[in-house]
Amino acid sequence: MKRFLSIHAPKVVLTLVTTAVLSWSCSSVPITGRHQLSLVPESEMQQMSYAQYDSFMQANKLSHDQAATAMVKRVGTRIEHAVESYMSSHNMSDQLAGYKWEFNLVESKEVNAWCMPGGKVCVYTGILPITQDETGLAVVLGHEISHAVAHHGTERMSQGLLAQGLGTALSVAVAKEPQTTQQLWMTAFGVGAEVGVLLPYSRTQESEADHLGLIFMAMAGYDPQKAVPFWERMASQAGNGKPPEFLSDHPADQTRINDIKKEMPEAMKYYRPQSATNP
Ligand SMILES: [Zn+2]
């Protein structure tokens, strides 16, 4: 199941608008330094995110497994601290302004996990048999949290606004075109009250999240080399009937695994082993 954002605006107009917009609305991704389109202030993304997260959590059941829930919160918090420490040492703490980190484990057969803007994380119990232990979970959370830290949702939302000719502040767009902006949010995140399915990120965003995720998990004291067997386990799920949702958004192909191996020497420089509690 693949859904892509389709861009209908004529190319020339899009280019002109893009040029105008880029001159005042560009940000760059931590670690990779890639410049990205950013039309939507993070504070506005967070507001929408917090409302969606609350309604999602109300509509879904938290897991009763106390050990697994504690593990999700522990891994999440350790990665949160790694992110905060990286951003602080690179004078980028302002990029985390307004974050209200939260890590929850919901009861669901789906193999899935995501992080919305502002650090709102959800892990589905269905992914735990594949993560297997705390370090495996750190691979997933490092990756998902990196999507948020790298503002990938904001970038996708901005591209959507631009494609709709709404190259303006989100608050203005919401006032003028409430339905369109709600639809864009759904296209960017797909997280409504019932549906907790993140739409696929672009390949660039995916490999960026892998790259950042390796570094953050290493800084959090988890062996980044464990990312390779995790993605191999994910790949082996592909043949088991209906591939998990997480896999349809995250193709665990050889290119991904090879890229992760290439980034390993860099990630290992950040690795300070700590004891991981593997239930
Ligand atoms: Zn991803």
Side-chain angles (χ1 to χ4, degrees), residues 23 39 44 95 107 110 116 133 160 180 202-203 217 227 253:
S23 59
L39 287 177
E44 293 182 13
Q95 292 200 24
E107 195 61 54
E110 294 289 325
M116 291 208 292
D133 59 21
T180 312
S202 73
R203 195 73 206 213
M217 77 177 283
D253 52 25

Side-chain angles (χ1 to χ4, degrees), residues 180-199:
T180 312
T181 36
Q182 187 60 29
Q183 270 167 19
L184 282 174
W185 175 270
M186 290 304 289
T187 313
F189 294 100
V191 177
E194 306 295 333
V195 209
V197 177
L198 283 195
L199 303 184

Side-chain angles (χ1 to χ4, degrees), residues 232-243:
E232 285 167 351
R233 287 198 296 280
M234 264 293 168
S236 73
Q237 294 290 310
N240 297 349
K242 180 180 171 279

Side-chain angles (χ1 to χ4, degrees), residues 107-170:
E107 195 61 54
S108 167
K109 289 195 302 289
E110 294 289 325
V111 176
N112 208 358
W114 41 259
C115 175
M116 291 208 292
K120 296 293 185 187
V121 173
C122 178
V123 175
Y124 297 56
T125 48
I127 204 169
L128 298 180
I130 305 171
T131 55
Q132 286 185 352
D133 59 21
E134 186 159 337
T135 306
L137 183 62
V139 177
V140 170
L141 289 190
H143 176 95
E144 293 304 325
I145 287 171
S146 293
H147 276 309
V149 170
H151 310 293
H152 287 162
T154 313
E155 185 175 20
R156 190 155 55 178
M157 187 94 180
S158 303
Q159 288 160 348
L161 281 170
L162 203 59
Q164 301 275 345
L166 298 171
T168 174
L170 183 64

Side-chain angles (χ1 to χ4, degrees), residues 49-60 102 116 120:
S49 169
Y50 297 158
Q52 293 287 345
Y53 191 76
D54 285 349
S55 61
F56 179 84
M57 283 303 157
Q58 275 162 24
N60 289 274
E102 198 174 333
M116 291 208 292
K120 296 293 185 187

